[in-house]
Amino acid sequence: MVDYHPALSALYGIFRELQHIPVSIPLKLTPEVWSEIPVLKRDTLPNNMDGNMVYELSFDHNRMASSKDEWRWQRYMSSTRSGFKGIRRLARCSGSYKCTNSLCSFHKQGRPNLTHFDKASACKFCGNSADFVPCSASKVWEFNDCCQSDYHHGYHTCPVIVKPDEKAVWDDIDCLTERLIDPYLPKNVKQKVRKELHPEGHSFEAVQLLKTKLDKKDPLYIFDMNDSRFHSDRPTFVFSTSQEKMLLALKMKRNSKFPLEKEYYHFDGKHGRVRGMKTLTASVFHPLLGKMVRLAVMHCKYEDSTNVALFWQLFNKALQAASQNPMTTFQPYGYMMDEGGAEWARLQRECGEQEVEVAKSCQFHYRQAVNREARKLNSSTSKFEFKKIANTMLIANSPSAYDKVYGKMVAFIKEKPTKRSFFKSWIDWWDERKQHVLNAFCSLPFARTTNLSECLHSSWETTREGKAVAESRVLC
């Protein structure tokens, strides 16, 4: 080993130390370093100042507290410069630590741990020793009798540590305390959760519990149900009937030699029976009882083709369960429905074209449509003439008689085309459905002319009002 002169060894050590000083840091932090930086006057320093900055603060006897920021500085040291007679102090940034363990739980959240370390510089999450990251930032304080100046030099490689506002923390604690001591809070939270789970106020859990109990008496009372939030392959619905009603529907079969063999199957939808749901009903007029009898009811979200098709499928399944014959199908004397596209389209698809031929539409709704269209005319004479022709189209007893009346309607529209042209689309719409509603094209004798499901729906309203009156009398 070669021995060097002590002076050369000292110079070599100084050279090695100078190699570790970054080129961007001047050896002396004098005002010339910030000669081109504008002076910013503030009451306090920003917490995250970075880069070359100069701040001028008003004089405060508590010098260091007034110029405090959130960076982690080493203990300051006294400093001097030529031309300045006040107090001057200098501090370097302490640097930071970084956990480089890729298996650290903090690192798995998306970024490494830069702030949470113990006194031994070990990560608080994984326990591994952290790597030290040096920081070249510096800070200079200059205090005189009238003001104080703070000089910041360099950019930080360490994260800023922002301490929470103690007053804001206590305000949050007071607010949380007031909420926790609210006696109605648990009740309100339960109601909120219940509303989120059941926005319409319905509980499928309660219906399922009821079905479990009713199945012991009659498995058709609640034949099938589904909550689309948990089983999205089918829509939300509840289908209910009974063994007795399905046996009654079996007696409606054509040529069954029962009193119901020539009674019509009435189908309609009711809005408002159940909140947020539509109620599809199947019913029949019982000649011995002299009233409408409900055969099946299905509560669903929409009265569309999907739910109407599901109603037909469940109705036939319930018939097969009641008759204990998987080949049983529903074939009544005729069908009575409104002119809804979903009902007619699904009847043809589920039952066949031959069943559409024995289906009828409600003439009461036709007369309602006539009255609505007549109100669009200004002259009372024109209204009377339009109603007379439209109602004659309904009661015409043969196709040729209907064609004759239809010609009169066309002539009525052409008489004043500027005022009556809108009737053309209306009359064409009903002409396409003449097989359903007009007497001239009825294929069955003694065919029904009105959808009596409306009577059944009215009885629901009457029962509800009567119940309300009875409850009010009890309360009084």
Side-chain angles (χ1 to χ4, degrees):
M1 181 176 180
V2 181
D3 293 332
Y4 294 98
H5 191 276
L8 291 177
S9 298
L11 289 174
Y12 180 75
I14 294 173
F15 175 74
R16 294 284 295 175
E17 291 180 1
L18 290 176
Q19 282 185 322
H20 289 82
I21 298 176
V23 177
S24 60
I25 301 178
L27 295 179
K28 291 185 178 181
L29 294 174
T30 59
E32 288 75 13
V33 177
W34 295 276
S35 60
E36 298 181 358
I37 304 300
V39 179
L40 303 177
K41 295 185 178 182
R42 297 285 188 272
D43 294 330
T44 59
L45 290 179
N47 291 330
N48 57 347
M49 62 178 180
D50 206 3
N52 293 347
M53 304 293 294
V54 181
Y55 294 93
E56 185 177 301
L57 308 179
S58 58
F59 179 77
D60 192 339
H61 292 285
N62 192 359
R63 296 181 178 126
M64 300 303 290
S66 63
S67 60
K68 187 178 181 181
D69 56 57
E70 298 299 338
W71 296 110
R72 291 178 294 190
W73 302 103
Q74 297 177 3
R75 183 174 179 83
Y76 65 84
M77 63 186 74
S78 297
S79 177
T80 59
R81 68 175 175 86
S82 61
F84 182 73
K85 302 300 182 181
I87 300 175
R88 194 171 192 268
R89 292 170 180 170
L90 170 66
R92 306 287 186 184
C93 184
S94 299
S96 62
Y97 290 90
K98 178 180 179 180
C99 179
T100 57
N101 182 17
S102 61
L103 300 179
C104 178
S105 59
F106 196 97
H107 190 277
K108 290 181 179 179
Q109 299 301 319
R111 61 177 184 176
N113 175 24
L114 300 176
T115 55
H116 304 283
F117 303 96
D118 58 18
K119 294 182 179 180
S121 303
C123 177
K124 291 184 177 181
F125 295 94
C126 64
N128 285 13
S129 296
D131 293 344
F132 177 72
V133 181
C135 183
S136 60
S138 303
K139 183 178 180 181
V140 177
W141 294 264
E142 289 186 353
F143 303 96
N144 52 36
D145 295 336
C146 61
C147 64
Q148 64 184 61
S149 300
D150 290 75
Y151 301 88
H152 187 277
H153 182 272
Y155 290 90
H156 288 271
T157 59
C158 53
V160 64
I161 307 299
V162 180
K163 297 180 180 179
D165 186 2
E166 185 176 352
K167 184 178 181 302
V169 172
W170 280 107
D171 290 342
D172 293 341
I173 293 175
D174 293 339
C175 181
L176 179 61
T177 303
E178 292 178 0
R179 290 174 56 192
L180 291 177
I181 63 176
D182 183 6
Y184 297 101
L185 179 62
K187 181 180 178 181
N188 295 338
V189 171
K190 288 182 180 179
Q191 290 179 348
K192 183 179 179 180
V193 173
R194 191 181 299 114
K195 189 174 182 179
E196 291 177 354
L197 293 176
H198 312 292
E200 301 296 342
H202 311 309
S203 174
F204 274 86
E205 292 80 1
V207 179
Q208 183 62 48
L209 180 61
L210 180 63
K211 174 176 171 56
T212 303
K213 295 183 178 181
L214 292 178
D215 283 349
K216 300 177 182 178
K217 184 176 181 181
D218 189 340
L220 301 184
Y221 273 154
I222 301 180
F223 181 63
D224 198 0
M225 59 181 290
N226 182 62
D227 188 351
S228 60
R229 294 174 301 176
F230 304 104
H231 303 283
S232 58
D233 56 328
R234 294 198 299 172
T236 298
F237 71 91
V238 176
F239 184 91
S240 60
T241 180
S242 69
Q243 183 79 15
E244 184 179 0
K245 292 177 180 179
M246 287 294 99
L247 293 178
L248 197 65
L250 290 172
K251 295 180 180 179
M252 294 175 61
K253 190 174 182 179
R254 299 169 202 157
N255 305 320
S256 62
K257 307 302 181 181
F258 287 104
L260 299 178
E261 65 171 342
K262 292 188 178 181
E263 291 296 332
Y264 269 68
Y265 166 90
H266 297 257
F267 182 86
D268 198 9
K270 167 69 174 174
H271 297 198
R273 172 66 175 171
V274 178
R275 184 171 57 184
M277 306 282 276
K278 308 298 185 294
T279 304
L280 306 182
T281 60
S283 55
V284 63
F285 179 79
H286 201 294
L288 300 181
L289 299 178
K291 65 177 183 179
M292 295 295 293
V293 177
R294 208 166 34 245
L295 297 176
V297 173
M298 190 176 88
H299 305 291
C300 53
K301 285 284 186 180
Y302 309 103
E303 188 181 354
D304 55 7
S305 58
T306 302
N307 285 297
V308 172
L310 181 61
F311 184 94
W312 280 107
Q313 295 167 8
L314 294 174
F315 192 91
N316 279 307
K317 287 182 179 180
L319 275 178
Q320 294 167 5
S323 63
Q324 298 181 356
N325 184 0
M327 304 302 294
T328 301
T329 55
F330 185 59
Q331 291 182 334
Y333 181 74
Y335 302 85
M336 170 58 69
M337 300 176 293
D338 294 341
E339 278 296 340
E343 287 85 349
W344 289 89
R346 285 301 172 178
L347 177 63
Q348 181 176 2
R349 182 170 180 177
E350 299 294 332
C351 302
E353 183 66 33
Q354 69 280 3
E355 297 300 305
V356 178
E357 295 177 359
V358 296
K360 288 284 293 179
S361 182
C362 182
Q363 294 184 1
F364 174 74
H365 289 86
Y366 174 84
R367 293 190 177 94
Q368 282 185 322
V370 170
N371 293 332
R372 283 195 300 268
E373 294 298 315
R375 285 195 289 268
K376 298 178 181 179
L377 297 170
N378 297 325
S379 170
S380 58
T381 304
S382 298
K383 292 180 180 179
F384 175 80
E385 185 177 358
F386 172 76
K387 288 182 180 180
K388 180 180 179 181
I389 298 174
N391 290 327
T392 305
M393 290 171 57
L394 177 65
I395 61 177
N397 54 11
S398 65
S400 58
Y402 167 78
D403 292 337
K404 183 178 180 180
V405 181
Y406 182 83
K408 291 183 179 180
M409 178 62 76
V410 173
F412 173 78
I413 297 173
K414 290 182 178 180
E415 184 180 350
K416 295 181 178 181
T418 57
K419 295 183 178 180
R420 301 172 183 175
S421 59
F422 61 90
F423 284 125
K424 187 65 171 63
S425 59
W426 182 85
I427 195 65
D428 289 343
W429 191 89
W430 282 105
D431 185 63
E432 293 175 359
R433 293 160 177 78
K434 60 186 178 182
Q435 303 288 344
H436 304 164
V437 65
L438 303 181
N439 290 345
F441 302 94
C442 180
S443 59
L444 295 176
F446 310 108
R448 291 286 183 182
T449 59
T450 305
N451 191 347
L452 297 181
S453 296
E454 302 290 349
C455 303
L456 187 65
H457 297 166
S458 299
S459 67
W460 276 341
E461 298 295 333
T462 305
T463 305
R464 186 186 306 172
E465 293 175 359
K467 183 179 180 180
V469 172
E471 289 179 352
S472 62
R473 290 177 180 176
V474 171
L475 293 175
C476 295

